[in-house]
Amino acid sequence: MSQHVPTGASRHYVLAAGGTGGHLIPAFALAAELDKRGHHVALITDERGAAIPGKPDFLPAHVLPAGRFGKNPLGWFKGVKAVLTGRSMALRLFDSFEPSAVVGFGGYPALPALLASTSAKIPSIVHEQNAVLGRVNRLLSGRVDAIATSYPDVDRLKGDHLAKTHLVGNPVREEVLALRNQPFPDFTEDGLLRVLVTGGSQGASILSQVVPDGLAMLQPALRQRLQVTQQCRKEDLDAVRERYKAHDIPAELGTYFEDMEERLADAHLFIGRAGASTLAELTAVGRPAILLPLPIATDDHQAANTREIVAAGGARMIRQPASTIADLSDKGDEANAQRVKQSEALQKLSKDICLQIQAMAQNPASLANAAHGAWNCGRPKAAEDLADLVEGFGGAEMMDVIRVGESAKRSTATRTSAEGATRDGAS
């Protein structure tokens, strides 16, 4: 990685990200690191991203239209039109902001900004949070100057792009990173087993259905020591509360916990989805996990995200059967048969969770070893390493003057090639 830019060499950088937490959390972390180094940073996103909690106060957000390209080709024309409009708006922003580089974090809102940067000859970098290269990053991988990854093995990454690929990790919030050097909470033969259950930013109804029953299947000696914290969707709260009450398991439930990092610090075991931000935080802190990847995730990327931590012994991965997400609103014999099949699949999922908990928490050493395995997968300097990579495309201090000159070239395209040659020679 490059060295930090000396004090006084302030530059401008643009970050472009989709409007979800998975894209924006690492973008915010990089923005904070670049700001700490004395640079000016701007964000390009969509309306959701501009309003998402956690955006640093110093980071101005520019909302650009970004077309989406679904399976129906009839909607593609509208999507292309939106992308081209967003590209033109991004170019106008670049003319005034003069970025040294543009960094994309995936999601369709990043597409117009990166198309603008490559056409304007501004250095561009993409950061991939998942273990599968996302659609937008895949589309732009041949155009950009560098690809930053969160995992050593990334699917859908072409071999001829490996030379410009850099493993940096996935930046996490400073509040979470501060927990990395704290010891794993004491877990003894007769002490509490604190379990944290979350379903990501949207919650996950499947966890509300299967986790309480899975915990109830534990051997009595372990079940009696449980202390559960679970994030649920609002519509699931009452049913989950009744489930835990029926099983006589103490549980604190909520739709959102503002002090999630503190709950993660206290947890002995995590149960939840396998999104990129979730995995980055689990490995940053070092918490054992039972992971149920979202079965409908694009390119099955959540399952790919689990490979490293599972191989290190820090987590167990359980596949969610497709029958558990089927729509059973229809009536009739066939629908009834599907309901029976779904019920059996849910029971099996609960049992699998029970067995994996017992395997991981059978004794204090097993859980502590799993925590250490997860911790070893963490990349705590992800934000710093990504900032080093980005600064590497900023040039030396004098390049700020040259960069302004290059912008002038772009805005005076009517000059003749002879004049351009004279100018290049003079420089």
Coordinates of all heavy atoms in Angstrom, one line a residue, residues 45 53 90 123 135 161 177 200-201 216 276-277 327 332-333 337 371 383 420:
T45 N -25.2 9.0 -4.2 CA -26.0 7.9 -3.9 C -27.4 8.1 -4.4 O -27.6 9.0 -5.2 CB -26.0 7.6 -2.4 OG1 -26.7 6.4 -2.0 CG2 -26.6 8.8 -1.6
P53 N -29.3 6.5 8.3 CA -28.6 6.9 9.5 C -27.1 6.5 9.4 O -26.7 5.6 8.8 CB -29.3 6.1 10.6 CG -30.6 5.7 10.0 CD -30.4 5.5 8.5
A90 N -23.1 13.7 -12.9 CA -21.8 13.4 -12.3 C -20.7 14.1 -12.9 O -19.8 14.6 -12.2 CB -21.6 11.9 -12.3
P123 N -9.1 8.7 -12.3 CA -8.9 7.3 -11.7 C -10.1 6.8 -11.0 O -10.8 7.6 -10.2 CB -7.7 7.6 -10.8 CG -7.0 8.7 -11.4 CD -8.1 9.6 -11.9
R135 N -23.0 -7.1 -9.6 CA -23.3 -6.8 -11.0 C -22.7 -5.6 -11.5 O -22.1 -5.5 -12.5 CB -24.9 -6.8 -11.2 CG -25.6 -8.1 -11.0 CD -27.1 -7.9 -11.1 NE -27.7 -9.2 -11.0 CZ -29.1 -9.3 -11.0 NH1 -29.8 -8.2 -11.1 NH2 -29.6 -10.5 -10.9
H161 N -7.9 -9.7 -14.4 CA -8.0 -8.5 -13.5 C -7.3 -8.7 -12.2 O -7.4 -7.7 -11.4 CB -9.5 -8.2 -13.3 CG -10.3 -7.8 -14.5 ND1 -11.6 -7.9 -14.6 CD2 -9.8 -7.3 -15.7 CE1 -12.0 -7.4 -15.8 NE2 -10.9 -7.1 -16.5
L177 N -15.1 -1.7 15.7 CA -13.7 -1.9 15.6 C -13.0 -1.8 17.0 O -12.0 -2.5 17.3 CB -13.0 -1.0 14.6 CG -11.6 -1.4 14.1 CD1 -11.6 -2.8 13.5 CD2 -11.1 -0.3 13.1
G200 N -30.3 -8.9 10.0 CA -29.9 -7.8 9.1 C -30.8 -6.6 9.2 O -31.7 -6.6 10.1
S201 N -30.6 -5.7 8.3 CA -31.3 -4.4 8.4 C -32.8 -4.6 8.3 O -33.6 -3.8 8.7 CB -30.8 -3.4 7.4 OG -30.9 -3.9 6.1
A216 N -35.1 -24.3 22.2 CA -35.9 -25.1 23.1 C -35.5 -26.6 23.0 O -35.7 -27.3 24.0 CB -37.4 -25.0 22.8
A276 N -22.5 -9.0 4.1 CA -21.1 -8.6 4.1 C -20.8 -7.8 5.4 O -19.7 -8.1 6.0 CB -20.8 -7.8 2.9
S277 N -21.6 -6.9 5.8 CA -21.4 -6.1 7.0 C -21.4 -6.9 8.2 O -20.6 -6.8 9.2 CB -22.4 -4.9 7.1 OG -22.2 -4.0 6.0
D327 N -44.6 -19.5 -1.3 CA -45.9 -18.8 -1.1 C -47.0 -19.9 -0.9 O -47.3 -20.6 -1.9 CB -46.2 -17.8 -2.2 CG -47.5 -17.1 -2.0 OD1 -48.1 -17.2 -0.9 OD2 -47.9 -16.4 -2.9
G332 N -56.3 -25.9 -1.4 CA -56.4 -27.2 -2.2 C -55.4 -28.2 -1.6 O -54.6 -27.9 -0.8
D333 N -55.5 -29.4 -2.2 CA -54.7 -30.5 -1.7 C -53.2 -30.3 -2.0 O -52.4 -30.6 -1.1 CB -55.1 -31.8 -2.4 CG -56.5 -32.2 -2.0 OD1 -57.0 -31.8 -1.0 OD2 -57.1 -33.0 -2.8
A337 N -50.3 -30.0 0.9 CA -49.1 -30.9 0.9 C -47.8 -30.0 1.0 O -46.9 -30.4 1.7 CB -49.0 -31.7 -0.4
A371 N -14.4 -18.5 18.6 CA -14.2 -17.1 18.7 C -12.9 -16.7 18.1 O -12.8 -15.7 17.4 CB -14.4 -16.6 20.1
A383 N -10.2 0.0 6.5 CA -10.4 1.4 6.1 C -9.1 2.1 5.8 O -9.0 2.8 4.8 CB -11.2 2.2 7.2
G420 N -2.9 21.3 -28.5 CA -2.8 20.3 -27.4 C -1.3 19.8 -27.4 O -0.8 19.7 -26.3

